[in-house]
């Protein structure tokens, strides 16, 4: 008689309190159960993103009243690539054995639970993994690529934007002069490629060691911000500031009237009046899970029209070291965990 082993526990990385990388714990937890509209994914790789360490740290950059209240322990993480192990009874588009990738339940604080060997994923947030790339590159893509896409091409949802009254609207890119600041990071290196794909003339701003990479990815002009002031350039149509924060306002002077500034990290921008006086749009959005867009993007990843660059990989059990690497900054592309 065949013996079937049903797994009841798995390894995951949890936090039991907010804090630095040392609060990350590699432990045994119960396997996730799936609902009727969900898929159980055996995870092969996990891409890490700034919201992982913002949550680990208790979102300390936010005013106290905005900080999330959570029930510990929490499993961090949102981005995965892996193989379907089970499907809920309402799910029609996926079968056991399919290779898939996803940004799981974002923005839904502490409910994504991706730093784990298995994750339950709503089927609407899942897409077939691009066949031409491995799980490491597929897991590295979702949040950063969806961010670039939702800022530059298609917001993809109509949920209210908590950060501004007007919904975010992408602007035309064909033939336009676009500057990407923070161009070597997770969002930045993909934004450079999306803007090029849509016909823009792209200026990439990053530290010097990234020049060859960014030119290879399509940048027409490279500015090493450690040597030169990236804000002396004029008459741009669009600045995508993937560094953002209060310093984003210095890019207003680089834009022509009618131009737009998209701070990807918008907290701290306080020059709305100045932007209006100059006839500029300042707009931001918050990335949202979207299986349909990941399916649309898969062919671009498949044939390397969009390339995901890997900064470094770590075993899932060394998530702490991965977060320590992230804290050092100057990330070139993406950091990935491997269960
Ligand atoms: N709105 C949203 O939905 C959304 C979604 C995703 C991410 N974000 C935010 O967007 C930001 C970027 O995320 P990410 O994943 O791309 O982070 P990341 O991978 O850490 O990239 C940041 C990049 O910025 C570069 N950099 C640092 N200081 C710089 C400066 N003064 N000028 C130019 N470049 C500089 C760094 O490398 P070098 O200094 O070596 O060039 C690094 O490559 C984060 O704040 C994140 O929270 C927002």
């Amino acid at each position: 008689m065949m013996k079937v082993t049903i797994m009841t526990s798995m390894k995951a990385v949890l936090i039991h309190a907010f804090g630095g990388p040392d609060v990350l714990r590699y432990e045994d937890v119960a396997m996730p159960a799936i609902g009727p509209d969900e898929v159980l994914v055996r995870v092969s790789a996990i891409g890490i993103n700034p919201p992982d360490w913002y949550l680990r740290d208790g979102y300390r950059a936010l005013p106290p009243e905005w900080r999330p209240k959570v029930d510990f322990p929490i499993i961090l993480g949102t981005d995965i690539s892996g193989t379907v192990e089970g499907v809920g009874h309402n799910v029609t588009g996926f079968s056991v054995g399919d290779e898939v990738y996803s940004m799981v339940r974002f923005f839904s604080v502490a409910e994504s639970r991706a730093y784990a060997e298995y994750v339950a994923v709503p089927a609407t947030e899942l897409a077939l993994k691009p066949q031409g790339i491995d799980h490491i590159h597929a897991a590295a893509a979702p949040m950063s690529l969806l961010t670039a896409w939702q800022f530059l091409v298609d917001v993809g949802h109509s949920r209210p934007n908590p950060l501004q009254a007007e919904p975010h609207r992408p602007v035309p890119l064909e033939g336009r002069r676009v500057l990407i600041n923070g161009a070597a990071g997770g969002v930045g290196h993909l934004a450079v490629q999306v803007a090029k794909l849509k016909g823009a003339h792209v200026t990439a701003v990053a530290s010097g060691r990234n020049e060859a990479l960014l030119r290879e990815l399509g940048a027409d002009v490279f500015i090493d911000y450690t040597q030169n002031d990236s804000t002396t350039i004029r008459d741009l149509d669009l600045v995508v500031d993937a560094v953002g924060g209060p310093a984003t306002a210095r890019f207003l002077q680089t834009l022509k009237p009618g131009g737009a500034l998209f701070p990807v990290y918008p907290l701290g921008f306080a020059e709305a009046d100045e932007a209006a006086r100059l006839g500029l749009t300042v707009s931001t959005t918050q990335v949202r899970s979207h299986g349909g867009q990941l399916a649309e993007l898969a062919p671009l990843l498949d044939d390397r029209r969009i390339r995901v660059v890997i900064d470094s990989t770590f075993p899932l059990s060394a998530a702490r070291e991965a977060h320590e690497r992230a804290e050092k900054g100057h990330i070139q592309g993406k950091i990935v965990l491997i269960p």
Side-chain angles (χ1 to χ4, degrees), residues 49-51 53-54 143-144 147 151 181-188 205-207 209-210 225 242-243 250 264-266 284-287 330-334:
N49 290 283
W53 45 94
Y54 300 159
M143 181 177 288
S144 295
T147 302
F151 266 88
N181 187 44
V187 175
V205 180
S207 59
R209 75 174 182 114
N210 298 299
Y225 72 88
V243 180
R250 72 195 194 285
V264 180
Y265 183 86
T284 192
T285 185
Q286 194 168 57
V287 68
H330 302 294
I331 298 172
Q332 189 184 61
K334 300 290 302 179

